[in-house]
Amino acid sequence: MDVFAMDISALSRALRERKISAVELTRSYIDRIDARDGETGAYLTTTFEQALAQAVRADERRADGEAVSPLNGIPMALKDNMATRGIPTTCASKMLKGYVPPYSATVAERLEAAGCVLLGKVNMDEFAMGSTTENSAFRITRNPRDPSRVPGGSSGGSAAAVAAGEAVFALGSDTGGSIRQPASFCGVVGLKPTYGAVSRYGLIAFASSLDQIGPLTKTVRDCALVMNCIAGRDARDATSSPRGGGDYLEDLEGGVKGLRVALPRELMGAGVDAGVQKSIQGAAARLERLGAHIKEVSMPALKHALAAYYVLSSAEASSNLARFDGVGYGVRAAHYDGLYELYARSRSEGFGAEVKRRIMLGAFALSEHYADAYYGKALRVRTLVAQDYARVFDEADVILSPVAPTVAGKLGARDKDPVKTYLGDVCTVPASIAGLPAISVNCGEGEGGMPVGAQLTAPAFAERTLLRAAYALEQGV
Ligand code: GLN
């Protein structure tokens, strides 16, 4: 039994049939992390002692004949921007080094209640800003498919842990692509749910109107299983919706016969690698063979989505990150003279370069004489993008596109010009600013044999359609 290749469903069956215990399974994963994570670099904190205690409880619940969740006894990891009571939560920032939250995120509580075993907290770009995980203040994470390459980001630790068999699944967060893009780069499945489908309570905020938590898993079915646990209304997050609840497995095997699939021209043109284009065309052809109808469409507002995203997300970040002032929590400068210096020095020392860049960009976009020209305009673009989607969804059920224009690049090869890095987010940010669900599922290989993800996007709360289409694609790869 190769427990590192098995998905949640397979492991859950093995646990039910007593072929393995949760303690044995957890020990295997701990040994695997000990053996491999020196190279992968996925974990910032491991919680092995606690994991074994959780595994013991998971076994006891089963032995007592309790009706347990399919997640009972499954070892997993959380991105380090989700608060975990008593366990360091750093956002991969010096600013929060040593910060131990007094409470847990709703998703962490729900997974724990389902009997999941938390192996630890995984790496990310600092405050979730970035696309390679190289913005982490603490360590480099490598792509398990090729250790000379990045795992993507910002949920790079989550994707790498799953791809390396160092966690059965992980949660990530996605503001402009941070679940989908690393999933694509590491060849795993990643779902960004509809804005509001999953509670953000306890997720350290980057851009509150965009942030969503979602699963990174080995299979599409696992994505549905994790959603069944984490999605749904939470009184502690006013933006969470009851429409997020229910059974995500419902339509999984329904097939794609008659499914209307739109291919937006704007996401398949210049700038998209040949290998990526070929894989996406292959995915379209496969869906067509299975009975779907493919139609090319145009979404003209998408060409402005990237610029709007960077204005909106930075504006919200500049406001959200104002709380890290050296007073309430996190790092405080050792030497300062007066309150202003306390703030200025703590923030200068605590934040990395990319975070500072976003704060400055955002503060500028919101400043008195520029707010309408930048922030106001970006809000109007946001409406236009949402209207483009609404129009396409009048005649299509899902939209198919690449997740990213390229496969994972080499470590350390990022362009000095940050805008070039931002351009890599061109395919993922549109669904983010429209608040729509989107999934990344592997559909082939590109340059260097690296995985390519197909992105499927659906109307709000139509995750079941996404999962059904992604499942059909997955069976063919
Ligand atoms: N790469 C994008 C950014 O840097 C997306 C990040 C995210 O989704 N958290 O903003």
Side-chain angles (χ1 to χ4, degrees), residues 9-22:
S9 319
L11 288 169
S12 172
R13 196 171 323 118
L15 287 163
R16 194 172 57 239
E17 292 168 356
R18 308 286 201 275
K19 294 203 169 106
I20 191 168
S21 70

Side-chain angles (χ1 to χ4, degrees), residues 79 81 124-132 135 153-155 173-182 192 206-207 210-212 306 309-310 313-314 354 358 421-422 424-425 428-429 432:
K79 185 173 180 179
N81 58 354
M124 53 186 283
D125 285 299
E126 184 178 5
F127 282 100
M129 297 168 188
S131 310
T132 63
N135 292 338
S154 66
S155 311
S173 67
D174 190 311
T175 303
S178 281
I179 290 174
R180 293 161 280 161
Q181 184 257 29
K192 180 198 93 77
F206 165 6
L210 299 156
D211 297 341
Q212 258 304 281
L306 190 77
Y309 166 80
Y310 273 93
S313 62
S314 302
E354 183 61 27
R358 306 280 180 116
T421 308
Y422 299 170
D425 300 332
T428 46
V429 296
S432 300

Side-chain angles (χ1 to χ4, degrees), residues 12-73:
S12 172
R13 196 171 323 118
L15 287 163
R16 194 172 57 239
E17 292 168 356
R18 308 286 201 275
K19 294 203 169 106
I20 191 168
S21 70
V23 169
E24 286 162 346
L25 180 61
T26 301
R27 286 228 164 87
S28 305
Y29 270 81
I30 290 173
D31 290 346
R32 175 91 160 187
I33 294 168
D34 279 340
R36 296 219 170 174
D37 205 53
E39 171 163 291
T40 313
Y43 283 85
L44 290 178
T45 303
T46 52
T47 50
F48 294 160
E49 223 168 277
Q50 188 176 322
L52 285 166
Q54 285 174 328
V56 167
R57 271 202 304 284
D59 283 334
E60 281 168 1
R61 284 160 96 174
R62 202 178 291 277
D64 289 348
E66 265 184 55
V68 295
S69 151
L71 301 185
N72 187 64

